[in-house]
Amino acid sequence: MVQKAKILLVDDRPENLLALEAILSALDQTLVRASSGEEALKALLTDDFAVILLDVQMPGMDGFETAAHIKRRERTRDIPIIFLTAINHGPHHTFRGYAAGAVDYISKPFDPWVLRAKVSVFVELYMKNCQLREQAALLRLQLEGGGKGTVGAGKEPAGLLAELSARLAAVEEQAEALSKQLDDDSADAAAVATAAHLERKLTGLRRALDALEPGTGTGAPSVPTQN
C-alpha cells in the first residue's frame, strides 16, 4: 500500500480549516490542522509534509514569521509553502510572501479547483521523491553488502540489480510523464524546478546502477544523496 502524503493546513480560523479540508479531501491524502504558527512548527518537528498551506494573517506569529522559521530549519526548508491571504496589499505584500520562501501566493476567495490542482502537483512530486529515496536506500544496501532481509534478499547480485533497475525505470517513467504534464499546463516555475531537480536525482541514481552492471569495470560507485 502506498503511504499517503501529509498536507499541513495552517489557519487560526476553524471555518477556514474546514473549508480547506473540504476542498482537498478529494486528493485522498492526510490533512493535518494547525491553528497557529507555533502549532505548525511543532507539527513539523516530527512529521514530513508534501506541502504547507499557510494563512498570512494570524494573531501572534503571522504567516511570514512562521515561514521564516520553517526555512531556517534544515529538516523543513525545502517543503513548498503556499500562502493564503484574505487581504491584498498590492505588489509589495505579494513580494514579501515570495521573499519569505513561498512557492505561491493566493488571495481569498480562491478558486477551489485551482488550489486543489496546485496542491496535487506538489503532492505528486513529493511521492516521486519518496520513491527515489527508497530506490537509493536499496542500492546502498546492495553496495554495503547488507541485502539480507530486504526486497530481493537471497537473489544473485545480477538478479537484484535487475529488480532495482526495473523499479527505478518505473519511477523514471512516472517522473517523465509528470514533467510533460507540467510543461503542457504551464505550471508554476517552482513546480517545474522541483520536477527538474527530481529528474537530476533520477539520472544520478541510474548512472550508479549502470556502473554496477557486470563488465563495466568501474567498481562500486557513490550513491547520490537524496534531499
Side-chain angles (χ1 to χ4, degrees), residues 132 139 143 161 165 168 172 199-213 216 218-224:
L132 180 55
L139 180 55
L143 292 175
L161 285 176
S165 181
L168 179 58
E172 288 172 329
E199 287 193 334
R200 288 194 296 272
K201 293 294 185 182
L202 284 169
T203 300
L205 187 54
R206 171 58 66 187
R207 287 174 179 167
L209 267 178
D210 290 344
L212 285 174
E213 291 293 331
T216 58
T218 57
S222 60
V223 180

Side-chain angles (χ1 to χ4, degrees), residues 10-11 16-18 39 100 104-105 107-108 135 165 170 176 182 222:
V10 189
D11 199 303
N16 289 343
L17 290 172
L18 189 63
E39 191 175 332
D104 210 338
Y105 195 97
S107 297
K108 304 174 186 176
Q135 308 312 314
S165 181
E176 183 180 357
L182 291 175
S222 60

Side-chain angles (χ1 to χ4, degrees), residues 27-156:
L27 298 179
D28 194 29
Q29 304 300 324
T30 301
L31 306 177
V32 179
R33 284 188 175 200
S35 57
S36 66
E38 292 84 357
E39 191 175 332
L41 294 176
K42 184 177 179 180
L44 287 162
L45 286 174
T46 54
D47 290 328
D48 294 324
F49 291 90
V51 61
I52 302 169
L53 273 63
L54 180 57
D55 184 42
V56 172
Q57 291 85 26
M58 293 188 296
M61 185 185 296
D62 66 13
F64 296 130
E65 294 176 89
T66 303
H69 282 289
I70 292 171
K71 293 302 177 181
R72 279 199 293 266
R73 293 179 180 176
E74 184 176 357
R75 174 188 171 92
T76 59
R77 64 187 178 191
D78 293 325
I79 302 176
I81 299 174
I82 298 177
F83 271 133
L84 304 175
T85 178
I87 303 175
N88 187 357
H89 291 290
H92 176 74
H93 200 252
T94 302
F95 175 77
R96 187 182 175 193
Y98 286 117
V103 298
D104 210 338
Y105 195 97
I106 303 177
S107 297
K108 304 174 186 176
F110 44 78
D111 186 328
W113 292 94
V114 171
L115 180 63
R116 186 161 52 238
K118 289 177 180 290
V119 171
S120 68
V121 169
F122 289 107
V123 167
E124 193 165 356
L125 287 170
Y126 173 82
M127 299 299 283
K128 296 297 181 291
N129 267 307
C130 287
Q131 289 179 297
L132 180 55
R133 284 194 294 269
E134 180 184 346
Q135 308 312 314
L138 287 171
L139 180 55
R140 282 196 191 92
L141 286 175
Q142 171 63 18
L143 292 175
E144 295 166 2
K148 292 183 179 180
T150 64
V151 175
K155 292 186 178 182
E156 292 297 323

